[in-house]
Amino acid sequence: MTDYVRPDIAVMSGYVPGEQPPPGKYVKLNTNENPYPPSPAVSRAIAEAVQSGLSRYPDPLCTAFRLRAADVLGVPPDWILCGNGSDDILTIVTRTLVGQGELLRLPYPSYVLYRTLADIQGARYEQVHFDAHWGLTAEFARVVPDLKLVFLANPNSPSGTMVSREQILELAARLHCPLLVDEAYADFADTNCMDLVAQNPKIMVSRTLSKSYALAGLRFGFVVAHPSLIAEFAKVKDSYNCDALAIAGATAAIGDQAWLLDNRRRVLATRARMAQLMRELGFAVEPSQANFIWCTHPERPLQPVYEKLKANHVLVRYMNYPEWGEGLRISVGTDEQVDACATLLKVILNDGAHGTN
Ligand SMILES: *Cc1c(COP(=O)(O)O)cnc(C)c1O
């Protein structure tokens, strides 16, 4: 039957998300979910939405969320467009800005989905390598024909590192096309680029409620951009891309900034402890501005380490990037989860050192 499929789809491999095993089996540190429950306001709001009935279509523009978010973020509501997770936002932005055969730029190593979106669109992509310290090179700002969109995850995944606001402004000034700053992890960072959108209309910022609001299962994200771009994105998105329960839950979540700050404090405290534990075990750890840490090892191959962790019910993300190298991306869990992971790693690394299995 593949003869019926567009050839460029038939040859592409498709995005492979991190494993989602049945609940309870693993200490799950592989997909950067928040280890704590969301604001209690979320389930109350969803229960109320259920009570008032689901027979009507939801608000296509998520007005309630945009008003609340506008207040929290200090941007006008018509600068916000909502999506079914920020992956939906990335899809909408790509479909709106990049035509078939045109070019999309992304950093490497970074979020693998950007590449998949280019493939689905029948677009070309250009991966520009970070320098050895996860900084951008001049190549990233180069103006080339047909370049229609640049993606930049900031903080980046898998490294957890950040590019400065000054560099982002400079990058946008040089580029002849819009730049999407993917701020999926910005709530765990010291700074962000939200206010830069008003300084240069080529800068767009996307956010998600999946990580910092502990709502990966709800599916809600949004982009902040110049209203003239938002109006074009609105033409491309599915009419009802966010359902009534997600809108209710997300609106309650972003309204509870006290919960966000408290959660951030806990995650950042564990992140610091965790980085220290991993360094003591001999890993090199990038300074992280996100809710995960990127660990490489000067001597030990890491795939067997990942597999032994998994065999002992601790799930982390093993990444091996061609022309770059391998590492473990470990999400910041609870202190107990992090201790369980570190204790096990100590045993695994010692075993190997003594030549046994
Ligand atoms: C998790 C993640 C997203 C997607 O978030 P969703 O809102 O759950 O779709 C986007 N970008 C990066 C870099 C991420 O890590």
Side-chain angles (χ1 to χ4, degrees):
M1 292 302 284
T2 49
D3 285 354
Y4 294 109
V5 173
R6 274 169 48 194
D8 47 346
I9 299 295
V11 299
M12 69 176 268
S13 42
Y15 179 69
V16 184
E19 290 170 83
Q20 294 295 347
K25 189 165 179 217
Y26 290 99
V27 169
K28 192 170 177 306
L29 303 174
N30 68 330
T31 51
N32 304 339
E33 290 137 328
N34 204 298
Y36 301 107
S39 160
V42 172
S43 51
R44 281 200 301 269
I46 292 175
E48 272 169 35
V50 170
Q51 277 295 313
S52 44
L54 296 172
S55 58
R56 306 274 184 202
Y57 283 106
D59 172 7
L61 293 175
C62 309
T63 310
F65 177 87
R66 287 160 73 224
L67 291 172
R68 190 77 58 88
D71 214 28
V72 169
L73 302 169
V75 301
D78 63 339
W79 290 53
I80 303 174
L81 181 109
C82 300
N84 183 30
S86 65
D87 286 351
D88 183 34
I89 293 294
L90 303 177
T91 302
I92 294 165
V93 170
T94 305
R95 291 173 76 185
T96 307
L97 300 179
V98 191
Q100 218 172 3
E102 292 181 331
L103 188 63
L104 189 156
R105 176 176 294 158
L106 40 116
Y108 180 83
S110 188
Y111 192 33
V112 180
L113 180 73
Y114 304 146
R115 233 158 50 196
T116 312
L117 293 174
D119 284 341
I120 295 169
Q121 187 66 1
R124 293 172 295 126
Y125 61 82
E126 182 183 78
Q127 303 194 98
V128 177
H129 287 228
F130 280 112
D131 68 24
H133 307 288
W134 300 94
L136 293 182
T137 62
E139 183 70 13
F140 205 75
R142 204 160 63 93
V143 174
V144 298
D146 281 346
L147 180 63
K148 299 295 176 183
L149 173 64
V150 174
F151 279 126
L152 182 67
N154 204 42
N156 186 50
S157 172
S159 57
T161 52
M162 270 184 109
V163 171
S164 73
R165 289 161 48 86
E166 294 69 32
Q167 278 179 293
I168 297 219
L169 275 174
E170 198 178 309
L171 178 59
R174 284 175 199 269
L175 289 170
H176 292 185
C177 70
L179 163 68
L180 183 96
V181 185
D182 178 348
E183 292 198 344
Y185 301 102
D187 288 322
F188 303 108
D190 296 335
T191 61
N192 63 70
C193 294
M194 188 56 81
D195 64 306
L196 303 187
V197 179
Q199 290 188 37
N200 185 329
K202 277 183 281 171
I203 299 179
M204 311 178 283
V205 168
S206 65
R207 294 274 178 94
T208 174
L209 275 70
S210 295
K211 279 84 181 219
S212 56
Y213 289 91
L215 290 172
L218 193 72
R219 311 306 304 137
F220 204 91
F222 60 95
V223 62
V224 177
H226 192 271
S228 61
L229 279 175
I230 293 288
E232 300 303 317
F233 297 154
K235 295 185 201 165
V236 170
K237 78 177 188 71
D238 290 347
S239 308
Y240 305 109
N241 59 332
C242 300
D243 66 77
L245 303 185
I247 297 170
T251 306
I254 203 159
D256 193 350
Q257 290 296 300
W259 180 94
L260 181 76
L261 285 177
D262 187 56
N263 181 267
R264 175 187 144 95
R265 210 162 17 239
R266 280 198 274 180
V267 169
L268 266 52
T270 308
R271 181 178 76 191
R273 262 193 72 229
M274 183 178 170
Q276 184 56 31
L277 283 170
M278 297 299 286
R279 288 190 183 109
E280 284 165 11
L281 289 169
F283 287 93
V285 182
E286 284 300 327
S288 172
Q289 291 276 297
N291 67 334
F292 56 84
I293 58 174
W294 176 244
C295 306
T296 54
H297 202 288
E299 291 135 28
R300 304 288 295 265
L302 291 177
Q303 188 158 21
V305 174
Y306 155 78
E307 275 160 10
K308 283 178 192 166
L309 281 173
K310 188 174 172 184
N312 287 283
H313 307 284
V314 172
L315 204 53
V316 302
R317 194 80 179 259
Y318 169 76
M319 304 282 211
N320 192 358
Y321 295 98
E323 295 173 44
W324 185 271
E326 60 167 12
L328 299 179
R329 195 194 67 188
I330 310 179
S331 308
V332 178
T334 62
D335 284 305
E336 296 70 36
Q337 290 175 321
V338 164
D339 288 339
C341 178
T343 305
L344 197 53
L345 274 171
K346 192 168 187 178
V347 175
I348 292 169
L349 293 169
N350 276 335
D351 265 9
H354 299 131
T356 62
N357 48 15

